[in-house]
Amino acid sequence: MSDTTINSDSPSWTDVACQHAQAVTNSKLPIIEPFRIKSVDPIQARTRPERIEFLEQCHGNLFLLPADAVLIDLLTDSGTGAMSSEQWAALMRGDESYAGAKSYQRFEQAVQDILGLPHVVPTHQGRAAESLLFKILVQAGDVVPNNTHFDTTRANVEAMGAIALDLPCDALADTRSNEPFKGNMDLNALEVVLADDRQHVPLVMMTLTNNAGGGQPASLDNLRGVRALCDAYAVPLYIDACRFAENAWLQHLRDPDVAGLSVADLVKHAFSLADGCTMSAKKDGLANIGGFLALRDAELAESARRVMVVTEGFPTYGGLAGRDLDAVAQGLHEVIDEDYLGYRISSIRYVCERLDARGIPVVRPYGGHAVFLDAARFLPHVQAAQYPGQALAIELYVEGGIRSCEIGSVMLAQVNSETGEEIPAAQELVRLAIPRRTYTQSHMDYVIEIIDRVWQRREQIGGVGIHSEPPVLRHFGARFHPLPQSNPVSA
Ligand SMILES: *Cc1c(COP(=O)(O)O)cnc(C)c1O
């Protein structure tokens, strides 16, 4: 026994900690991944000549690359995240009963608890939920306003013979502006549409976050404004909820009026304004597959269930295995964790800030799920008709095995129905989507260096032409050929 006895004068741990805290400088600690790795998935670098050979084989379309030709896969954040140990455990609890499985009850409960929408229809992914919603609400000749339609949402609206109308706020067009809520809807434009043509507007949609527009959030105020217009014209409001948690976190960070609210509360507020939502659980469901349509109206939910049995499956599994339903239920609880969201958003900011500091044109403010490069400013000598975004995405692959995704005129150009000419997209972006909980900071450092190398030789990079393309969602199947750099930039 030590002869040091404890007496009433001995300081407590709290006293000692207080003294230390005063001495410590307030240096900022790095934000670390709030998890450790339990299972690893090896990745392997190819040589540059091998990558060029792969590029030949896939005709410059990165969607057609075999995944093992890719080193860092930032094609999408959809279904590419890592599940937690609790999600893997949930898989084992999966109830594979055809009807009324316990997995469905847990899934339904999670959606009801987190989003506050009562009627839950599972689907195999987001686009199936969109297809169901539009089949029950939209008719040929209708117009569906949205802050910005995602590609599958647009395709599903158009499949009904309706018009997908994008009404983003003005700030979205300026990729340099730091407006905090560029995902907002243009309320004046929406009012004009409703005032002119209410009878052809079956619903209004808000995409949270605005994926096609750079992962930009919409504010709670803007959502309230949209709801007020919907009320005034008696039109239902639906949310494309794919990144609802990231949207809420960005509201929490950027809007002083709501900074005091938790993410869970912000989510509740947003969805209390909606008549329903479509969701891809491959995004903020933190799962590898899954989705749902959630509705406030019981009769509408019944209509959706009648339609879904034909293509998706029985209403309590919707094309998913019971275990998938359980993984999503658990994922929905994990995605609103503020440590997780803080880490996710700051790792994206980490990349953007470093690119920005080197003068590389990234979309500002930094968005929720991806780093967006502004290809129009990265390759100003490449015209929109020569697809600068596709050209840049190809170079990132050749330089460092990084797979990214063009979100520009390849994906979103429209055709002038009179002249048959292509109308370029509003922006030429390259999206480097960051899978959830999958890559580490050193992977991000590598990404920064590869982008910088391409930036250093940008003046030699020419555009691409389209050799052949499928009739819908052409970015998935188009074949490209390189064009020579025909507008040499003077040094
Ligand atoms: C991914 C996505 C969808 C479609 O979801 P899938 O699961 O890919 O079918 C719809 N809207 C947005 C905003 C998305 O990001």
Side-chain angles (χ1 to χ4, degrees):
M1 285 292 286
S2 144
D3 58 4
T4 318
T5 51
I6 296 173
N7 61 45
S8 57
D9 296 336
S10 298
S12 68
W13 289 112
T14 311
D15 298 335
V16 173
C18 284
Q19 284 162 16
H20 290 177
Q22 282 157 15
V24 167
T25 58
N26 269 335
S27 73
K28 243 179 145 186
L29 285 172
I31 293 178
I32 59 168
E33 289 88 3
F35 49 81
R36 53 188 176 164
I37 294 164
K38 196 179 239 176
S39 170
V40 297
D41 195 8
I43 52 176
Q44 188 199 353
R46 304 287 187 157
T47 63
R48 194 184 189 99
E50 283 173 334
R51 289 196 291 264
I52 290 170
E53 179 57 32
F54 278 117
L55 196 63
E56 295 285 357
Q57 286 166 16
C58 76
H59 307 278
N61 187 332
L62 305 179
F63 281 100
L64 304 180
L65 275 178
D68 65 356
V70 176
L71 182 62
I72 308 269
D73 204 343
L74 309 181
L75 182 67
T76 173
D77 61 326
S78 179
T80 52
M83 291 207 294
S84 66
S85 46
E86 285 302 323
Q87 283 178 293
W88 285 105
L91 291 187
M92 291 303 295
R93 280 193 292 275
D95 173 358
E96 305 302 339
S97 305
Y98 190 92
K102 277 184 295 194
S103 297
Y104 173 72
Q105 291 161 14
R106 289 188 282 263
F107 179 88
E108 180 186 41
Q109 191 71 52
V111 176
Q112 290 170 342
D113 288 351
I114 291 162
L115 304 184
L117 290 165
H119 304 289
V120 183
V121 176
T123 59
H124 76 278
Q125 60 185 97
R127 65 198 71 183
E130 293 165 357
S131 168
L132 284 179
L133 180 68
F134 301 148
K135 277 180 187 158
I136 58 178
L137 288 182
V138 176
Q139 288 175 356
D142 280 349
V143 177
V144 177
N146 193 322
N147 48 349
T148 306
H149 286 83
F150 185 62
D151 60 351
T152 62
T153 324
R154 169 174 294 282
N156 274 303
V157 169
E158 291 174 353
M160 301 303 302
I163 295 167
L165 183 65
D166 291 340
L167 301 177
C169 66
D170 288 343
L172 188 68
D174 180 0
T175 60
R176 276 170 277 201
S177 121
N178 267 320
E179 279 290 311
F181 292 106
K182 288 186 188 174
N184 283 351
M185 176 91 85
D186 181 336
L187 295 177
N188 293 329
L190 178 62
E191 174 140 41
V192 169
V193 172
L194 291 171
D196 279 1
D197 203 15
R198 158 65 189 96
Q199 72 275 21
H200 287 116
V201 182
L203 72 150
V204 172
M205 227 168 167
M206 277 294 278
T207 305
L208 306 180
T209 55
N210 189 342
N211 182 0
Q216 301 292 335
S219 70
L220 199 53
D221 257 356
N222 186 254
L223 269 169
R224 290 192 179 115
V226 173
R227 177 77 243 182
L229 285 171
C230 287
D231 283 342
Y233 290 89
V235 183
L237 171 60
Y238 286 84
I239 293 177
D240 176 338
C242 294
R243 296 182 185 77
F244 73 95
E246 290 169 8
N247 198 83
W249 178 248
L250 292 168
Q251 288 176 340
H252 175 80
L253 291 184
R254 292 182 187 171
D255 184 349
D257 291 340
V258 303
L261 294 175
S262 69
V263 165
D265 286 341
L266 285 165
V267 168
K268 285 257 169 56
H269 276 290
F271 285 81
S272 72
L273 300 168
D275 293 280
C277 74
T278 57
M279 172 72 184
S280 171
K282 303 173 74 172
K283 318 312 181 13
D284 273 356
L286 293 179
N288 301 121
I289 195 70
F292 55 84
L293 172 64
L295 299 160
R296 213 171 276 295
D297 186 87
E299 268 176 50
L300 221 48
E302 273 320 303
S303 313
R305 290 184 178 116
R306 274 195 295 275
V307 176
M308 77 181 289
V309 201
V310 183
T311 55
E312 287 289 301
F314 192 75
T316 60
Y317 73 85
L320 295 169
R323 55 179 169 270
D324 299 325
L325 295 169
D326 265 308
V328 174
Q330 175 63 25
L332 288 172
H333 285 289
E334 291 179 8
V335 80
I336 56 173
D337 179 276
E338 298 188 4
D339 284 340
Y340 156 74
L341 287 165
Y343 134 77
R344 175 157 176 77
I345 302 300
S346 52
S347 79
I348 287 159
R349 191 178 60 222
Y350 174 88
V351 177
C352 290
E353 279 175 354
R354 276 153 189 78
L355 295 176
D356 221 352
R358 299 180 196 199
I360 298 170
V362 287
V363 173
R364 292 190 205 146
Y366 315 139
H369 66 291
V371 173
F372 286 82
L373 299 175
D374 184 341
R377 286 198 288 127
F378 200 114
L379 301 175
H381 52 283
V382 178
Q383 311 301 311
Q386 301 183 352
Y387 309 112
Q390 189 65 26
L392 178 54
I394 287 170
E395 293 303 328
L396 295 175
Y397 175 69
V398 170
E399 190 63 45
I402 297 170
R403 176 154 68 171
S404 56
C405 179
E406 191 258 18
I407 299 195
S409 291
V410 173
M411 185 187 275
L412 300 170
Q414 299 190 44
V415 176
N416 181 322
S417 51
E418 276 152 37
T419 65
E421 273 172 46
E422 212 169 286
I423 309 163
Q427 298 180 326
E428 302 296 338
L429 304 180
V430 170
R431 185 184 74 176
L432 297 108
I434 313 296
R436 294 170 179 76
R437 309 188 288 203
T438 302
Y439 292 110
T440 64
Q441 181 152 336
S442 63
H443 291 122
M444 294 300 115
D445 285 325
Y446 174 87
V447 168
I448 293 165
E449 290 312 315
I450 295 300
I451 295 172
D452 194 36
R453 285 189 186 181
V454 175
W455 175 245
Q456 298 305 327
R457 60 179 179 78
R458 63 191 179 280
E459 291 173 5
Q460 280 86 53
I461 298 171
V464 299
I466 292 185
H467 173 72
S468 64
E469 59 181 275
V472 282
L473 297 175
R474 69 171 174 178
H475 50 290
F476 289 141
R479 294 176 168 202
F480 301 94
H481 58 87
L483 296 170
Q485 212 292 52
S486 53
N487 307 306
V489 185
S490 50

